[in-house]
Amino acid sequence: MGKVYLTGAGPGDIDLLTIKALRVVKEADVIIYDRLANPDILKEAKDGCEFVYVGKEDKHHSLPQEEINEVIYQSALKHKTVVRLKGGDPFVFGRGGEEGIYLYERDIKFEFIPGITSAIAVPEYAGIPVTHRGVTVSFRVVTGHESKNKDHSQIPWENYKSDDTIIFLMGLHRLKIISKKLMEIGKPKDYPVAVISRGTTKYEKTVIGTLETIWELAKDLPTPALIVVGEVVKLREQLTWFEDKQ
Ligand code: SAH
């Protein structure tokens, strides 16, 4: 029986892979990877390493989580070193915990390897700090994706009245509703918002607007994309660096 490394692949830029993640990728007998993990990472694998794509889309899962769990488990029965490579960090909306529990229940050894999460790194590449002295003292990372039951919002909108920076993952297709909800709880309509598409890659694109304008400005951006809401967005004027180099 093998061991499974539940590994964060970072947000896109291959240079943001950790040394530990690179080490297990080089040792892997099989790599089970997501749509969001940069496929160039696979080039680092040894000859004969098997690759299994279990791609997930923003809006739908092309393989149900239960099946992914089973693929990982079956791989661990056959191989010594199994790498489960996931975009960003395995615990930030990455279902890494569920995969770990599935293995725990079947007596398979596992380790988690943290990755740089897109929630912080993508704004950083766009020149937006998630906290900034004198502007905001905290940030929240929230899913923009809601359950199919439209009558009941899982997102506790009332909690978002503070000046926290809010980073919405998986929210581009609901940007109009998100903006509307934030205005309903009292945020001004000129409150700053950024949408960053394909962050940390050469295709990175950032669109800046306000709660009132952003959905129209950003609606055609390609995914993956995340949304940053807060006064910190304005700091981009001074802190842009990455997109200028592209
Ligand atoms: N575990 C991942 C997040 C998984 S949820 C992490 O820690 O980064 C998937 C969401 O992450 C996407 O819908 C998008 O909102 C965001 N995301 C991931 N990579 C991104 C990128 N390169 N640019 C912009 N958003 C990204």
Side-chain angles (χ1 to χ4, degrees), residues 9-15 33-43 85 87 201:
D13 181 348
I14 195 167
D15 286 348
Y33 66 104
D34 273 1
R35 186 180 72 103
L36 286 177
N38 183 338
D40 284 345
I41 297 171
L42 305 179
K43 293 182 189 152
L85 197 61
T201 74

Side-chain angles (χ1 to χ4, degrees), residues 157-243:
W157 292 104
E158 287 297 312
N159 292 354
Y160 300 157
K161 283 186 171 161
S162 70
D163 294 335
D164 294 1
T165 304
I166 315 174
I167 299 129
F168 289 95
L169 302 187
M170 301 174 283
L172 188 62
H173 64 293
R174 298 186 78 252
L175 183 55
K176 193 174 180 180
I177 301 169
I178 289 169
S179 308
K180 193 168 150 263
K181 289 274 186 196
L182 291 172
M183 288 188 280
E184 271 169 25
I185 61 163
K187 290 206 187 285
K189 59 182 192 220
D190 61 353
Y191 205 62
V193 186
V195 176
I196 309 153
S197 162
R198 304 170 91 180
T200 81
T201 74
K202 63 179 179 203
Y203 308 107
E204 176 172 315
K205 188 159 193 292
T206 303
V207 171
I208 304 291
T210 64
L211 284 177
E212 193 177 35
T213 62
I214 193 69
W215 68 271
E216 183 69 49
L217 298 171
K219 68 178 187 318
D220 296 326
L221 282 180
T223 59
L226 59 73
I227 305 159
V228 187
V229 180
E231 295 288 350
V232 287
V233 167
K234 291 183 182 157
L235 292 161
R236 174 176 154 85
E237 281 167 30
Q238 294 150 78
L239 297 179
T240 313
W241 60 280
F242 178 69
E243 285 162 54

Side-chain angles (χ1 to χ4, degrees), residues 40-96:
D40 284 345
I41 297 171
L42 305 179
K43 293 182 189 152
E44 301 295 329
K46 67 183 182 194
D47 286 347
C49 177
E50 215 179 282
F51 302 122
V52 183
Y53 180 68
V54 288
K56 287 181 168 188
E57 297 289 333
D58 276 2
K59 288 176 200 157
H60 65 277
H61 294 177
S62 39
L63 256 197
Q65 187 62 42
E66 184 69 19
E67 274 176 45
I68 296 176
N69 294 347
E70 190 58 23
V71 168
I72 300 170
Y73 169 57
Q74 292 297 332
S75 300
L77 296 178
K78 281 187 278 186
H79 299 280
K80 187 161 158 272
T81 303
V82 178
V83 170
R84 167 66 174 120
L85 197 61
K86 307 166 81 71
D89 181 88
F91 279 180
V92 181
F93 300 116
R95 308 189 74 167

